[in-house]
Amino acid sequence: MDGKYYVGVDVGGTHVRIGMTDGGGRLSAVKKVPRREALPDEDPAALAGFIAAYLAAEGAKAAAAGVGIPGTLDRSREKTLKVPNLPCLDGLPYAGMLSERLGIPVYTENDTVMLLTGDLARPGTDCRGITVGIYVGTGLGSAVFLDGRPLRGKNGLNELGHMPLPGRREKCGCGNVGCAENYVSGRRLEALRREKYPDVHISDLFTALRGSEELEEYVDTLGCVIAAVYNLLDPDRVILSGGVPAMKDFPLAELRESVRAHTMKPQPSESAELLFFGEGGDSGVLGAALFAKNALGGR
Ligand SMILES: [Zn+2]
């Protein structure tokens, strides 16, 4: 295969996913490997060798690569700031390091931006106006796009998961206390299971939690966090995705009701439409590849 391919890489704490697209939005040759195999702690730039080996195995040449990082980057997106689950990436000029070894432009971005890029590439998805992506997996991530492009603040951050909740004191991985992510995430569910439902498998936890105070609190906390987004930005759409809302018996109807209850009346409450995009799958890989294509094209 020769021509204009774009590689997408989704870096997670335990796995790295890689795939490519010809730019038309179709993802091919997706592979998932243990993270240490592709990105060893002692040599993070070895990810370039992993990407090169992947391209060689596929017989493909790439014009650029996009890499989704599960942490914060500076406003230029060339330097990582803090990557809580992968401290070996903290403070690195990572895009440049990879690009130098790989010999093609490499663009790094927060993984939620890559996810929303992939989600908005779905056929029929409108990206005009303000779109917010909320991703509930191990943690709670977010991204905000304006007319299909990431909205950048002073430091390029968008961290809804670290919205402080009054009265909550649990210490967060970011160093603060009471962050929303500690109360509405997969990590919180796992802690709840260990503490109160040790005999229940995590995939059955929402079934076991039905009608419980814990579930009510979980849904209402997530509802308040999402309502804050609606009240602040009055977005055209909010997309919810990730492993947690895709779990069996996730109370989506109750969550939508909670969002409506906590948003301003009559608007945005009446028009608040929380779109559910499923588990997410390879959205992050596709998004990273399309992000590289857009960045190379000067978008
Ligand atoms: Zn935090």
Side-chain angles (χ1 to χ4, degrees), residues 120-219:
L120 288 178
R122 284 188 181 205
T125 308
D126 190 355
C127 66
R128 286 172 297 182
I130 300 174
T131 305
V132 180
I134 296 176
Y135 301 97
V136 193
T138 308
L140 174 63
S142 60
V144 181
F145 279 24
L146 180 61
D147 293 328
R149 299 181 197 193
L151 192 66
R152 302 251 189 266
K154 182 180 171 188
N155 297 292
L157 304 189
N158 194 284
E159 297 288 337
L160 187 65
H162 300 278
M163 170 176 154
L165 301 178
R168 311 286 183 101
R169 303 301 302 163
E170 197 164 314
K171 201 160 171 24
C172 180
C174 76
N176 291 347
V177 295
C179 296
E181 155 165 306
N182 296 292
Y183 304 94
V184 283
S185 61
R187 212 179 294 127
R188 167 69 181 151
L189 286 181
E190 182 50 37
L192 199 58
R193 190 197 67 79
R194 271 200 312 269
E195 192 187 319
K196 299 209 166 156
Y197 302 86
D199 300 329
V200 174
H201 191 270
I202 188 75
S203 60
D204 293 321
L205 191 61
F206 279 118
T207 313
L209 281 168
R210 266 188 197 156
S212 69
E213 243 175 64
E214 288 98 347
L215 184 66
E216 202 176 307
E217 192 186 332
Y218 192 92
V219 168

Side-chain angles (χ1 to χ4, degrees), residues 5 32 65 74 79 114 130 150 206 218 241 244 252 254 271-272 282:
Y5 284 91
K32 179 175 153 186
D74 73 351
K79 190 178 169 195
M114 300 306 201
I130 300 174
F206 279 118
Y218 192 92
S241 176
V244 168
L252 187 60
E254 288 85 345
S271 62
D282 295 324

